[in-house]
Amino acid sequence: MGKIACANVLSDMYAMGIADCDNMLMIIGIPFKMTDLERDVVLTQMMKGFRDEAKSGGTKITGGDTNFSEWCLVGGTATAVVKSEEVVLPYNAEVGDVLVLTKPLGTQNATFAYQWYQEGGEKWEKLSSVITSEEVQFAYFMAVQSMTRLNRTGARLMRHHKAHAATDITGFGLLGHANNLAKHQKKPVSFVINKLPIMCGMAAVERAINNRFMLLSGKGIETSGGLLIAMPAEESSQFCRSMKEIDGEEAWVIGHVVEGNRTASLDKDVEIIDVR
């Protein structure tokens, strides 16, 4: 949980092409109902995960705040001081750009499917007709790996490959964040998404639960998702190759920028990519 929270905190900064963080503050919420032993074990591990991920990002925790809470919480803030020319401003997308996504979709489906598999019962019985227990476990660990992987490589590479705009994909889903990014463009452009890279088996899970999480409509909630980047088409292939070489993970060209009215939409024949 701490690793995921830290990766998520850093993502907003990475979406501006800022790959190096000067320092971070950590915020912890301690549940009232936890016993002393539970607090010692759980919070220690949460804080360790947060610190470990900050170290992976080349920064450190310099302070923070701890309070009692109804929930178990971990979060924080990241600070960096950079030159203005080192920032990728999020409003310069141009007609002819392509849209690149650096992590697969489906974290919400994968975590819930794993929970239902563990619990058994009616929900798992419904899913077991479209996915095996081994496939659910594989997708879950793929989701954990994705959520804890920093967007730092993408931040560095998008500056090198002349990115015109970017955002990170989290609580509003791919289409929600794409719409928000499109709305703030200087030029009258729109984003058209024609591919959805989805963690293996999670498209089938989504259909089995009657599109409950809106994953196939591009609105599925993501936790610590990837970067959505508008960049020149001629730069995208090398960007994706470099992501694979450095992080060992795929990135995908999932759409393009066209003349429009500053909105984002899914192509009517959107392609589902099963990511393994």
Side-chain angles (χ1 to χ4, degrees):
M1 184 176 176
K3 281 180 172 284
I4 294 170
C6 184
N8 209 33
V9 168
L10 287 167
S11 278
D12 284 339
M13 188 178 70
Y14 291 145
M16 296 185 289
I18 303 170
D20 297 302
C21 174
D22 293 330
N23 63 77
M24 298 185 71
L25 301 179
M26 187 187 341
I27 300 170
I28 292 288
I30 306 173
F32 294 111
K33 296 180 181 179
M34 271 190 172
T35 65
D36 289 342
L37 177 60
E38 289 170 338
R39 290 171 189 164
D40 288 345
V41 174
V42 174
L43 296 174
T44 297
Q45 291 302 309
M46 285 169 54
M47 294 170 71
K48 181 181 184 301
F50 200 97
R51 289 195 185 98
D52 288 348
E53 200 70 357
K55 184 177 180 181
S56 297
T59 187
K60 59 185 179 180
I61 310 302
T62 57
D65 193 19
T66 302
N67 290 289
F68 284 99
S69 167
E70 291 289 339
W71 305 278
C72 191
L73 302 174
V74 58
T77 60
T79 303
V81 178
V82 297
K83 296 178 181 179
S84 58
E85 59 267 24
E86 295 176 343
V87 179
V88 176
L89 297 173
Y91 46 62
N92 293 313
E94 298 180 357
V95 172
D97 282 353
V98 296
L99 302 173
V100 176
L101 183 66
T102 63
K103 289 185 184 181
L105 307 170
T107 54
Q108 185 180 32
N109 293 67
T111 51
F112 271 92
Y114 185 70
Q115 178 183 329
W116 296 336
Y117 154 68
Q118 289 186 306
E119 293 173 349
E122 184 178 340
K123 290 180 179 177
W124 170 241
E125 186 177 344
K126 190 173 185 178
L127 290 190
S128 62
S129 64
V130 299
I131 193 168
T132 67
S133 58
E134 292 80 8
E135 289 170 331
V136 166
Q137 293 176 75
F138 182 83
Y140 174 73
F141 288 110
M142 177 186 285
V144 172
Q145 183 182 33
S146 175
M147 289 187 286
T148 56
R149 176 162 59 96
L150 295 175
N151 282 316
R152 194 182 191 192
T153 299
R156 286 176 168 165
L157 289 173
M158 75 180 193
R159 280 172 48 195
H160 180 71
H161 290 284
K162 305 176 178 133
H164 292 143
T167 186
D168 59 326
I169 308 303
T170 53
F172 295 110
L174 174 64
L175 193 58
H177 287 285
N179 257 310
N180 188 53
L181 188 63
K183 181 172 66 175
H184 292 91
Q185 296 308 303
K186 286 183 178 179
K187 296 181 179 178
V189 299
S190 286
F191 299 161
V192 179
I193 296 168
N194 52 33
K195 294 181 181 179
L196 294 177
I198 294 176
M199 295 175 188
C200 59
M202 293 305 104
V205 166
E206 181 69 1
R207 295 186 187 101
I209 58 175
N210 299 316
N211 302 310
R212 172 177 174 176
F213 296 134
M214 298 184 287
L215 177 64
L216 303 181
S217 59
K219 299 176 182 177
I221 293 172
E222 301 296 331
T223 299
S224 189
L227 300 179
L228 177 67
I229 309 166
M231 66 171 60
E234 62 270 18
E235 297 284 342
S236 61
S237 295
Q238 184 57 54
F239 175 92
C240 293
R241 281 195 295 270
S242 296
M243 285 290 298
K244 179 69 172 178
E245 290 168 2
I246 297 170
D247 278 1
E249 301 289 347
E250 301 286 346
W252 304 265
V253 175
I254 64 163
H256 49 281
V257 180
V258 299
E259 291 184 3
N261 57 353
R262 300 181 177 87
T263 58
S265 63
L266 290 189
D267 187 280
K268 64 178 181 178
D269 297 317
V270 65
E271 176 188 354
I272 306 299
I273 301 173
D274 196 50
V275 180
R276 296 184 178 272

